[in-house]
């Protein structure tokens, strides 16, 4: 009897391990509970391969990101998830685009390396969404909801993922290039690794960014239309910068290496300001052009609708140790999460020294973002403590 009971207990433990979520889902659950614009996207979904010749459009990629944000730490579970259409439309009056985006997610095929029933190398093809429901009847101004379920293969990938990227909702919705959005996700996924780089040949680059094989076949054109545009958007909207190096054989570019570096505190504050501004004029600000509004020459865009978010602390940065106290708790948590194992008080001293008098004026989201960016930059410059 003891042996049988032991076997049952052991089997129960194995079953519990098999159904437990990986680190990506644990972080996703924590970020959703915290509220705000940050969410975790599993690395397995970011690095998933498109079937040759296919890729998601920018709008469908945004919808997928919003689905993952909404599902949070429950994305791996066999259950439906729901989101308001109003949270997807972003000011568009019609729902036609939502229908198109859903249908695109349904029909797009993805590929992962797998094993056949004989143990041979194989390629598994699958969709991310198994089924969805879209409300078509609106009552009392209510824009309706959509409901969807991830496929078993997608849930398996999401559940097992130990890597993740922390993305910003406003940044995801602010990108105007699908290639920039993909590179942003790749950069956020690699930012905290010992070497924050991505390297691949031209075929791998096209697969990673979803560039069709018959588009931008000349590298000079690909550099101008894809890489330079993606860099300018990421440098403006992301919490990090991107640079790349071209590896050549003779005159031919054979490989690309991207390097991702966290922004310093002042640059992070500029990014937070930019994300809070209306998207109208963003291109001009990115290009360094002066924006002018002439009376009688077109309507001024309406301000964005306010989005309910959790309120970051409105207190100032602590003057003493971050190790103790409720006031210091949020900053201590950020320092431990993004400081790479360095002493949080040591990082805090460096932060105060760099910011100087500007630190006295910082509050809320800007202060939290600047502190997080400084912690990431600290690890990037010094590595992890031995």
């Amino acid at each position: 009897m003891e042996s049988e009971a032991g076997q049952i207990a052991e089997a129960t433990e194995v079953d519990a391990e098999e159904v437990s979520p990986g680190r990506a889902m644990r972080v996703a659950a924590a970020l959703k509970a915290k509220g705000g614009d940050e969410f975790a996207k599993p690395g397995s979904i970011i690095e998933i391969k498109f079937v040759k010749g296919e890729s998601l459009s920018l709008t469908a990629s945004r919808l997928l990101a919003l689905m993952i944000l909404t599902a949070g730490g429950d994305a791996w579970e066999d259950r439906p998830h729901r989101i308001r259409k109003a949270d997807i439309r972003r000011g568009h009056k019609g729902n036609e685009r939502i229908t198109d985006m859903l249908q695109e997610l349904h029909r797009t095929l993805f590929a992962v390396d797998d094993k056949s029933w004989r143990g041979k190398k194989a390629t598994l093809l699958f969709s991310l969404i198994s089924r969805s429901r879209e409300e078509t009847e609106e009552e009392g101004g209510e824009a309706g909801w959509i409901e969807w379920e991830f496929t078993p293969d997608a849930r398996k990938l999401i559940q097992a993922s130990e890597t993740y990227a922390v993305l910003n909702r406003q940044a995801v919705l602010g990108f105007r290039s699908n290639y920039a959005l993909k590179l942003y996700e790749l950069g956020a996924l690699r930012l905290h690794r010992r070497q924050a780089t991505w390297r691949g040949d031209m075929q791998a680059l096209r697969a990673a960014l979803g560039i069709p094989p018959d588009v931008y076949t000349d590298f000079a054109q690909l550099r101008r239309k894809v890489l330079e545009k993606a860099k300018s958007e990421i440098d403006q909207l992301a919490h990090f910068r991107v640079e790349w190096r071209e590896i050549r054989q003779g005159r031919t570019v054979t490989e690309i290496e991207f390097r991702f570096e966290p922004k310093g505190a002042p640059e992070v504050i500029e990014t937070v300001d930019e994300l809070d501004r209306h998207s109208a004029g963003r291109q001009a600000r990115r290009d360094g052009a002066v924006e002018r509004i002439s009376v009688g020459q077109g309507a001024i865009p309406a301000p964005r609708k306010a989005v309910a978010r959790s309120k970051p602390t409105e207190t100032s940065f602590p003057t003493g140790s971050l190790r103790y106290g409720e006031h210091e708790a949020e900053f201590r948590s950020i320092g431990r999460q993004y400081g790479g194992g360095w002493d949080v008080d040591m990082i805090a001293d460096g932060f105060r020294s760099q910011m100087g008098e500007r630190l006295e004026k910082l509050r809320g989201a800007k202060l939290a973002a600047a502190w997080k960016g400084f912690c990431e930059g600290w690890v990037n410059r010094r590595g992890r403590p031995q």
Side-chain angles (χ1 to χ4, degrees):
M1 291 294 293
E2 291 182 3
S3 176
E4 183 179 351
Q7 289 176 359
I8 293 174
E10 185 177 346
T12 302
E13 290 177 2
V14 171
D15 289 344
E17 289 177 1
E18 287 178 353
V19 299
S20 62
R23 191 179 182 198
M25 285 294 93
R26 297 197 298 271
V27 172
L31 288 175
K32 187 170 183 178
K34 180 181 177 182
D37 282 329
E38 288 191 336
F39 67 100
K41 185 171 182 179
S44 58
I45 299 299
I46 290 175
E47 295 186 310
I48 200 171
K49 300 174 185 176
F50 293 101
V51 171
K52 188 175 182 180
E54 290 192 24
S55 63
L56 289 175
S57 66
L58 176 61
T59 52
S61 295
R62 286 175 180 161
L63 176 58
L64 177 59
L66 291 176
M67 286 176 163
I68 290 174
L69 182 157
T70 302
D74 298 331
W76 65 281
E77 295 185 355
D78 185 6
R79 48 155 290 190
H81 308 281
R82 301 175 183 91
I83 186 173
R84 291 179 183 271
K85 289 184 181 181
D87 293 334
I88 303 171
R89 295 189 316 191
R90 298 190 72 230
H92 295 285
K93 294 182 179 180
N95 290 324
E96 298 83 4
R97 295 179 66 186
I98 294 177
T99 302
D100 293 340
M101 286 185 279
L102 273 175
Q103 292 178 359
E104 183 179 346
L105 281 176
H106 275 290
R107 66 174 178 264
T108 302
L109 286 175
F110 299 86
V112 293
D113 295 330
D114 201 3
K115 291 287 184 70
S116 72
W117 73 96
R118 301 191 301 155
K120 304 293 185 180
K121 289 183 179 180
T123 299
L124 173 66
L125 303 181
F126 63 98
S127 301
L128 292 179
I129 307 298
S130 60
R131 59 180 179 175
S132 63
R133 292 185 182 90
E134 179 186 0
E135 290 185 343
T136 56
E137 181 180 358
E138 299 183 6
E139 298 179 359
E142 171 64 53
W145 293 68
I146 64 169
E147 180 182 78
W148 77 95
E149 296 174 26
F150 292 113
T151 63
D153 291 311
R155 294 200 311 271
K156 183 178 178 181
L157 277 179
I158 292 171
Q159 175 192 348
S161 184
E162 293 293 333
T163 62
Y164 62 90
V166 176
L167 307 178
N168 182 283
R169 179 184 184 276
Q170 289 178 284
V172 167
L173 297 178
F175 284 111
R176 293 295 176 264
S177 162
N178 194 31
Y179 305 134
L181 176 55
K182 287 296 297 180
L183 189 57
Y184 166 69
E185 292 181 343
L186 286 173
L189 178 63
R190 283 163 171 74
L191 192 60
H192 302 294
R193 298 182 182 180
R194 189 171 297 275
Q195 288 187 326
T197 60
W198 182 96
R199 179 169 174 167
D201 58 21
M202 293 300 101
Q203 184 177 353
L205 174 66
R206 288 180 176 274
L209 301 187
I211 306 172
D214 56 343
V215 175
Y216 307 133
T217 54
D218 179 69
F219 183 80
Q221 191 179 33
L222 187 146
R223 181 197 294 120
R224 185 174 67 256
K225 297 289 187 177
V226 176
L227 301 183
E228 291 178 355
K229 285 188 175 182
K231 172 180 168 54
S232 64
E233 285 201 61
I234 289 171
D235 288 353
Q236 183 183 37
L237 299 178
H239 56 290
F240 57 88
R241 296 182 301 274
V242 60
E243 303 288 347
W244 76 83
R245 180 170 66 96
E246 299 169 6
I247 297 96
R248 297 173 180 269
Q249 287 187 356
R251 295 185 176 182
T252 303
V253 177
T254 56
E255 290 184 282
I256 289 287
E257 182 179 78
F258 292 109
R259 185 176 70 257
F260 308 99
E261 297 179 352
K263 293 177 177 177
E267 292 175 293
V268 171
I269 295 171
E270 292 177 7
T271 299
V272 173
D273 285 339
E274 181 58 47
L275 291 173
D276 281 338
R277 295 189 185 109
H278 196 284
S279 59
R282 184 163 286 164
Q283 175 74 48
R285 292 191 292 272
R286 186 160 59 241
D287 295 341
V290 178
E291 297 177 66
R292 295 185 177 86
I293 300 177
S294 301
V295 178
Q297 294 186 6
I300 299 175
R304 283 190 306 187
K305 206 171 185 179
V307 177
R309 306 178 204 160
S310 65
K311 293 183 179 180
T313 178
E314 293 300 323
T315 58
S316 59
F317 193 78
T319 56
S321 174
L322 303 186
R323 292 179 178 276
Y324 314 100
E326 294 182 5
H327 172 59
E328 293 80 5
E330 180 179 350
F331 302 105
R332 181 168 63 247
S333 175
I334 293 174
R336 287 175 176 171
Q337 183 175 355
Y338 298 101
W342 287 90
D343 182 84
V344 291
D345 285 339
M346 181 185 297
I347 304 176
D349 287 340
F351 182 57
R352 297 185 190 101
S353 177
Q354 183 185 86
M355 297 303 295
E357 295 180 357
R358 291 173 295 181
L359 193 56
E360 298 177 6
K361 301 177 182 179
L362 284 181
R363 298 290 188 278
K366 290 183 182 180
L367 175 57
W371 169 234
K372 174 187 170 186
F374 185 84
C375 292
E376 292 175 327
W378 180 281
V379 179
N380 184 263
R381 292 189 300 271
R382 293 170 174 79
R384 296 181 182 272
Q386 300 297 323

